[in-house]
Amino acid sequence: MTLKIAVAQIDIALGQPAINEKKIITYAEKASDLGVDILVYPEMWNTGYDLKNLATLADIRGEKSVSLLRSLAEKYHLNIVGGSVATSQNDDEFYNTMYVFNNQGKQISMYNKLHLFGLMNEEKYITAGKSMNCFTLSGIPSAAVICYDIRFPEWIRTMMSKEPQQILYVVAEWPVQRIQQWQLLLQARAIENQTFVVAANRVGRDDNNVFGGHSLVIDPLGNIIQQASDENEALLVAEINIADEDYIRGEIPVFRDRRPELYQ
Ligand SMILES: NC(=O)CCC(=O)C(=O)O
């Protein structure tokens, strides 16, 4: 089975959800024109890391973002891994939340970022999630995580081995100075889980960081299928063949050969 996947590597205007929403729409239109099956957005695309102003900026219960993503999924018949957005659940509780929609406009997953990134002060403002993010999208069992989560292979393995998920989606705001680590971590997650990795990072800057782009689509052997530039906005498009993964898992059956009883 071949899937056409697109990653929206975009700049994000700090603290300006209305501007960012327009860009989200533009990239859905572009993906639709190219006949894409699955579109992936980056982390915190509504506000960027404007964490100090979440009380006024965060999307209340995620309602605006859900409505926008649902309408795009329906209108353009796109499966959408909706990056993440800043949401508020109560007046003073904020989350970094991902929503996933199928191409009928049905929400099939919601995930609150589990590992909060201290270097960007995330844990001072955001409440950590507690649940997994596994779903079937376009018929493919998949999992998705947010940015810093990729440094926790045990967390990703937990999700990937629940049933062997075949695609791992990663959405990020990853600064340029650690972009080599971004690439290596993603390749490692692909190899150890024998999975396709589809990773969306933003470009541009905010008051504290320059973001490194370099969005990637990686095969289950860790080979890079497609990569975007470090600096520019782009719609990165790649075709992946899920049967390749079945073949690799057949040759080196790491999921079968695990000894979890010895890993505690
Ligand atoms: N937004 C993030 O979670 C950034 C993670 C990061 O930069 C890292 O090095 O890890």
Side-chain angles (χ1 to χ4, degrees):
M1 178 185 190
T2 302
L3 284 175
K4 197 171 192 181
I5 301 192
V7 173
Q9 174 169 294
I10 55 172
D11 194 356
I12 294 167
L14 187 70
Q16 307 214 47
I19 293 179
N20 297 323
E21 281 162 18
K22 284 195 187 133
K23 194 165 288 180
I24 291 301
I25 296 168
T26 303
Y27 274 76
E29 288 164 359
K30 288 186 193 201
S32 165
D33 288 347
L34 293 173
V36 158
D37 298 303
I38 301 172
L39 172 62
V40 188
Y41 291 110
E43 183 186 12
M44 291 280 256
W45 58 256
N46 60 343
T47 58
Y49 262 71
D50 195 355
L51 302 178
K52 286 188 190 138
N53 293 313
L54 288 180
T56 50
L57 291 175
D59 186 2
I60 300 165
R61 290 179 295 280
E63 284 167 4
K64 266 185 111 177
S65 311
V66 163
S67 162
L68 175 62
L69 293 170
R70 172 178 293 129
S71 70
L72 294 174
E74 263 172 8
K75 180 170 180 190
Y76 297 113
H77 306 293
L78 281 170
N79 297 289
I80 298 183
V81 177
S84 75
V85 286
T87 59
S88 65
Q89 298 301 338
N90 302 308
D91 280 351
D92 57 353
E93 213 176 7
F94 303 107
Y95 292 88
N96 183 340
T97 309
M98 175 189 295
Y99 299 100
V100 181
F101 286 85
N102 72 14
N103 61 8
Q104 311 295 304
K106 181 167 185 275
Q107 185 184 318
I108 56 166
S109 184
M110 175 191 145
Y111 170 73
N112 290 319
K113 187 178 184 183
L114 208 97
H115 302 95
L116 304 178
F117 191 53
L119 208 53
M120 282 160 65
N121 289 325
E122 203 175 10
E123 85 294 356
K124 286 193 193 146
Y125 298 94
I126 301 267
T127 304
K130 293 186 181 139
S131 316
M132 295 206 204
N133 193 20
C134 301
F135 48 86
T136 298
L137 191 62
S138 205
I140 309 298
S142 306
V145 294
I146 304 178
C147 207
Y148 185 47
D149 282 334
I150 65 169
R151 290 189 186 269
F152 299 86
E154 60 276 45
W155 171 235
I156 290 174
R157 176 69 107 198
T158 303
M159 286 196 285
M160 295 306 287
S161 54
K162 199 166 177 284
E163 72 176 282
Q165 319 294 351
Q166 297 195 287
I167 303 179
L168 173 66
Y169 296 95
V170 179
V171 306
E173 293 214 15
W174 195 285
V176 70
Q177 67 270 24
R178 293 185 297 282
I179 212 68
Q180 198 191 359
Q181 294 175 34
W182 157 258
Q183 180 175 322
L184 290 171
L185 286 162
L186 292 171
Q187 286 178 297
R189 299 297 82 85
I191 294 167
E192 72 203 0
N193 292 296
Q194 300 177 312
T195 185
F196 288 97
V197 170
V198 177
N201 192 23
R202 65 165 288 187
V203 288
R205 57 175 64 228
D206 64 18
D207 299 340
N208 302 307
N209 286 295
V210 177
F211 297 96
H214 209 75
S215 297
L216 291 159
V217 179
I218 301 171
D219 78 12
L221 292 173
N223 301 308
I224 292 173
I225 302 174
Q226 283 287 0
Q227 60 185 313
S229 76
D230 290 353
E231 289 157 27
N232 301 322
E233 292 198 337
L235 186 70
L236 184 72
V237 180
E239 291 204 4
I240 65 170
N241 187 352
I242 292 292
D244 295 349
E245 185 166 297
D246 297 336
Y247 175 72
I248 291 158
R249 287 181 177 181
E251 272 204 322
I252 309 176
V254 292
F255 285 97
R256 190 197 67 194
D257 294 343
R258 293 174 73 228
R259 306 280 312 278
E261 70 279 11
L262 302 177
Y263 298 164
Q264 296 301 319

